[in-house]
Amino acid sequence: MTRNRFLRPGPILGILAAGGLGLVAPEIYTGTFSDVGTFALVAALGLGVGVWVVAVNRFVTQAVLRLGLLIVPLGALAFAIVWPYLRPPTEVDEAFPTVVAAAPANLEPETTNPTTTNPTTTNPTTTNPPTTTTAPTATTTTPPTTTTSTPTTVPTGPVELARAGFQGLTGHRGSGDAAVYRLEDGSTLLRFEAVDIGSGPALNVWVVPGDDRRDLDGGTFIAPLTAERGNQNYTVPADIDLTDGTWTVLVWCDTFSVEVANATL
């Protein structure tokens, strides 16, 4: 009698692995069902894996080759897509970048050199009587005049311009702050402070105009996410002013096209 195929070790192990994955990293499933596009992408990926497994089992007769064709590609796929959810979160603690501020103008006092006038004294002249004595004439010297200009006050250190708290999206965790600073050289810095953002593959930082944005329409790519936790710095393009209007800082998963966390400035 033929044994039911659903009672074979392979399907049973697959079901157990899927259930365990849901317990350890539930954001995989919450992200999958966040919208139709993401669900279709994951479904297509799962269908492709299923077709590959069936094709290898049916057409490859050598056991060693069949095992290699299953383990190598499926293992690489799991490492690229699943492992980022299971590995420990990465953490960094970046300090503010060091910049050289422009030197303020007119800091040294300007001094007007005095003109010294030597006093002129007329010595008395003595002649035979009658004798006439001329009194000496004193000349007063004006003291030097010193002009000192007041130095221009230049702010030292980064100046905070805006701040907002992160929230997790589609089942991912999200906490900490996104802050905008003006540095001493006049450039703008986007800084994540004490963040804890959900893990996932290919996480990138975007800025999108508008309030509580959860898509990339009209947004600007900033950089790949440095780490899921800690303090980190991102350079903002010079043509973007995050203090002009409302902006959303969005952490986006490129692999599954799903939002992970955001903060509205």
Side-chain angles (χ1 to χ4, degrees), residues 18-42:
L21 193 61
L23 294 175
V24 175
E27 58 267 25
I28 293 179
Y29 296 105
T30 56
T32 298
F33 294 100
S34 61
D35 58 64
V36 176
T38 303
F39 176 77
L41 178 63
V42 175

Side-chain angles (χ1 to χ4, degrees), residues 109-135:
E110 298 177 358
T111 303
T112 303
N113 292 326
T115 301
T116 304
T117 304
N118 294 325
T120 302
T121 304
T122 302
N123 295 324
T125 303
T126 305
T127 59
N128 293 326
T131 303
T132 304
T133 303
T134 304

Side-chain angles (χ1 to χ4, degrees), residues 31-59:
T32 298
F33 294 100
S34 61
D35 58 64
V36 176
T38 303
F39 176 77
L41 178 63
V42 175
L45 182 62
L47 180 62
V49 170
V51 170
W52 175 257
V53 171
V54 170
V56 169
N57 283 327
R58 175 168 295 186
F59 298 108

Side-chain angles (χ1 to χ4, degrees), residues 8 12 14 16 29 46 48 53 62 74-75 80 86 97 99 104 112 133 142 149-150 182 193 214 237 242 244 246 248:
R8 294 175 181 176
I12 293 176
L16 292 176
Y29 296 105
V53 171
Q62 296 182 3
L74 295 183
L86 303 179
V99 298
T112 303
T133 303
T142 304
S149 52
T150 304
R182 178 171 290 119
E193 297 183 344
R214 305 187 180 198
L242 295 179
D244 183 13
T246 303
T248 297

Side-chain angles (χ1 to χ4, degrees), residues 130-240:
T131 303
T132 304
T133 303
T134 304
T137 303
T139 302
T140 304
T141 302
T142 304
T145 303
T146 303
T147 303
T148 304
S149 52
T150 304
T152 304
T153 302
V154 177
T156 58
V159 178
E160 183 178 314
L161 304 177
R163 177 178 294 270
F166 273 105
Q167 63 174 342
L169 305 173
T170 61
H172 297 81
R173 67 182 183 273
S175 62
D177 289 342
V180 180
Y181 290 90
R182 178 171 290 119
L183 301 181
E184 294 176 75
D185 62 354
S187 62
T188 302
L189 176 73
L190 174 62
R191 180 171 168 84
F192 289 7
E193 297 183 344
V195 296
D196 185 5
I197 295 173
S199 302
L203 299 184
N204 294 311
V205 178
W206 290 70
V207 290
V208 188
D211 177 59
D212 193 25
R213 293 292 302 273
R214 305 187 180 198
D215 60 86
L216 302 180
D217 187 23
T220 300
F221 171 76
I222 299 298
L225 183 71
T226 304
E228 289 92 359
R229 292 179 178 174
N231 305 312
Q232 47 207 269
N233 302 320
Y234 299 95
T235 302
V236 180
D239 59 342
I240 293 180

